Amino acid sequence: MAEIRVERVSKIYRQTRAVDDVSLTIDDGEFMVLLGPSGCGKTTLLRSIAGLEQIDGGRIVIGDQDVTELPPRRRNIAMVFQSYAVFPHMTVFENIAFGLRMRKASKADVSKQVREAAELLHIENLLDRFPAQTSGGQRQRIAVARALAMQPQVLLMDEPLSNLDALLRLEARAELKRLLNEIGSTTIYVTHDQVEAMSMGDRVAVMRSGKLVQVGDPLTIYDGPVDRFVGGFIGNPPMNFLPVDVSRRDGNRVAVLADAGQVALNREDALGDREGPVVLGIRAENVEIVHSDDPSSLRARVLVVEPLGSHNLVTLAVGGEQLKATTRPDERLERDQEVGVQIDPGRIRWLDAERGVALDTEDAGPGAGLGAPTPQKGDLTTAE
């Protein structure tokens, strides 16, 4: 396996910066997920690492070798695409063996490595079948087995589960994570599905408009997004954002939300001594719906109740804003019902009201959390 270093890599298509001065290090044996909305540059970055795209700036190092100018076949990588690209006229065995035969491996090595890869993916009983005789999930395993049979330094995966139905995708996600943990491959995995990213990656690199916005382990990114974009993109439902005015009342610090009431703050954290307009970010699971007239509660009205089995997802109107909260599945709430809302002050994420950047990131200075993407100078524009 090998460490991967992406050093100030850029890729420009005509007037669009698909990848914009990106630097990222993936440790030996690490599972790194590139996450972001469509058009953010994650697939272009992956293809650049693979050598399928010629970069316009920077360099790419795999192990101790600068591979920037090397063709894909000399980078000792394997790639699994969104479309499995299995050959319909070949058996499963021949599909898995294809790359090895192109490399002119001996017949004994081909047989050994194909069977080892098939056993890892539990498809050894399918080797004599043709792809048309297998299911979508089995074809996905064939594509992964073909990549593993090459025994590459690096495994690159571009949304390999996106063509599967929901249940099969859930099963394949767990199986793929088990497999990659077992073989210890250095893996870069591209997805726009934040559930996949959170559940599978050792670290997640969030991209937007060709830039890295934040890199960290999944829970750090979930609990501590560096800006409003990351908080709104990571999580299901996304983080709530409420514009509030922070002030002192009767010696206590409070966050006032229009005419809905105020939140008492028992921790300052990133808020420091700041007063005035800020944005309060809070996850739905840290919002509690109460039925008392406690003055510390915000006044709210129920808009929608969505039963999801393990919990209910409730959308509330609070001071002209919408807020999502989770409740127990047996919690009985009706549309237009008036309720109270209590926010856990220890779980608040504070953001600057104008820039949408987390206050602790802002205070840490330039480059903290990789920052938010900024407009580029000159004629070049960033891709959304």
Side-chain angles (χ1 to χ4, degrees):
M1 307 310 163
E3 177 189 74
I4 304 168
R5 296 201 312 277
V6 176
E7 300 177 357
R8 305 202 64 176
V9 166
S10 295
K11 176 63 183 177
I12 301 168
Y13 294 112
R14 296 183 181 179
Q15 297 298 303
T16 300
R17 290 182 180 268
V19 177
D20 190 3
D21 198 27
V22 167
S23 294
L24 179 66
T25 298
I26 300 97
D27 295 332
D28 182 16
E30 183 176 23
F31 191 129
M32 172 68 76
V33 177
L34 300 181
L35 173 68
S38 297
C40 72
K42 56 189 184 294
T43 292
T44 302
L45 179 58
L46 189 80
R47 289 173 60 85
S48 298
I49 295 169
L52 300 175
E53 299 286 353
Q54 186 68 38
I55 62 176
D56 297 303
R59 69 174 191 153
I60 297 167
V61 179
I62 298 178
D64 296 324
Q65 184 179 22
D66 186 338
V67 300
T68 309
E69 303 298 331
L70 294 182
R73 68 180 181 276
R74 293 182 56 195
R75 297 192 182 198
N76 198 13
I77 60 164
M79 192 163 180
V80 180
F81 296 93
Q82 181 176 355
S83 56
Y84 309 136
V86 292
F87 301 108
H89 63 290
M90 295 182 179
T91 65
V92 171
F93 183 99
E94 291 167 338
N95 266 281
I96 298 173
F98 180 79
L100 293 168
R101 287 177 172 160
M102 290 298 99
R103 191 186 281 178
K104 301 189 185 304
S106 69
K107 186 174 181 179
D109 284 343
V110 168
S111 180
K112 176 176 178 292
Q113 288 171 222
V114 167
R115 295 190 181 281
E116 285 178 353
E119 287 171 5
L120 278 173
L121 274 300
H122 304 301
I123 55 172
E124 63 271 22
N125 60 325
L126 305 179
L127 292 176
D128 295 329
R129 297 186 190 180
F130 287 90
Q133 299 171 306
T134 63
S135 68
Q138 288 169 335
R139 284 194 290 273
Q140 180 257 340
R141 294 185 198 179
I142 295 167
V144 175
R146 182 172 57 197
L148 295 182
M150 298 290 291
Q151 298 181 345
Q153 285 185 304
V154 173
L155 182 60
L156 307 178
M157 311 187 82
D158 187 8
E159 304 204 45
L161 307 183
S162 61
N163 290 332
L164 303 181
D165 62 52
L167 181 58
L168 192 55
R169 191 170 184 167
L170 181 65
E171 294 173 354
R173 192 169 72 211
E175 188 170 318
L176 188 57
K177 183 173 182 178
R178 173 199 62 78
L179 171 68
L180 294 175
N181 284 337
E182 185 176 325
I183 66 176
S185 174
T186 304
T187 304
I188 304 179
Y189 187 102
V190 162
T191 184
H192 64 271
D193 185 330
Q194 49 91 19
V195 174
E196 266 184 24
M198 294 286 292
S199 63
M200 295 180 73
D202 296 324
R203 283 192 299 156
V204 177
V206 183
M207 295 188 68
R208 182 189 187 192
S209 301
K211 285 184 172 288
L212 284 180
V213 184
Q214 186 173 5
V215 180
D217 67 84
L219 289 180
T220 296
I221 290 180
Y222 182 81
D223 290 330
V226 297
D227 63 13
R228 189 161 182 160
F229 167 75
V230 177
F233 189 75
I234 300 288
N236 186 22
M239 180 174 275
N240 296 294
F241 296 104
L242 301 175
V244 298
D245 193 78
V246 175
S247 61
R248 290 190 180 275
R249 296 190 177 184
D250 301 325
N252 297 315
R253 176 164 292 198
V254 296
V256 181
L257 175 60
D259 58 354
Q262 63 188 38
V263 178
L265 307 177
N266 57 19
R267 291 178 59 184
E268 296 186 0
D269 292 337
L271 197 57
D273 296 326
R274 182 181 293 229
E275 295 187 7
V278 292
V279 173
L280 182 158
I282 193 74
R283 293 287 182 188
E285 62 267 25
N286 299 317
V287 177
E288 183 182 3
I289 296 176
V290 296
H291 299 275
S292 65
D293 295 326
D294 189 328
S296 66
S297 300
L298 297 172
R299 293 179 293 279
R301 179 170 57 88
V302 176
L303 296 178
V304 180
V305 179
E306 301 173 69
L308 299 177
S310 62
H311 64 278
N312 295 332
L313 180 61
V314 184
T315 304
L316 304 156
V318 183
E321 303 289 333
Q322 286 196 5
L323 179 74
K324 292 189 182 293
T326 57
T327 69
R328 300 187 315 273
D330 58 351
E331 181 84 27
R332 297 299 177 212
L333 294 168
E334 301 294 335
R335 183 178 175 182
D336 292 328
Q337 181 179 344
E338 299 292 329
V339 295
V341 168
Q342 291 186 339
I343 290 174
D344 183 348
R347 306 294 292 179
I348 293 173
R349 187 68 172 159
W350 296 107
L351 298 94
D352 180 82
E354 293 184 4
R355 297 175 57 226
V357 177
L359 297 186
D360 58 357
T361 301
E362 182 181 61
D363 294 341
L370 297 176
T374 55
Q376 301 300 307
K377 295 179 180 179
D379 295 330
L380 294 171
T381 58
T382 53
E384 283 293 348

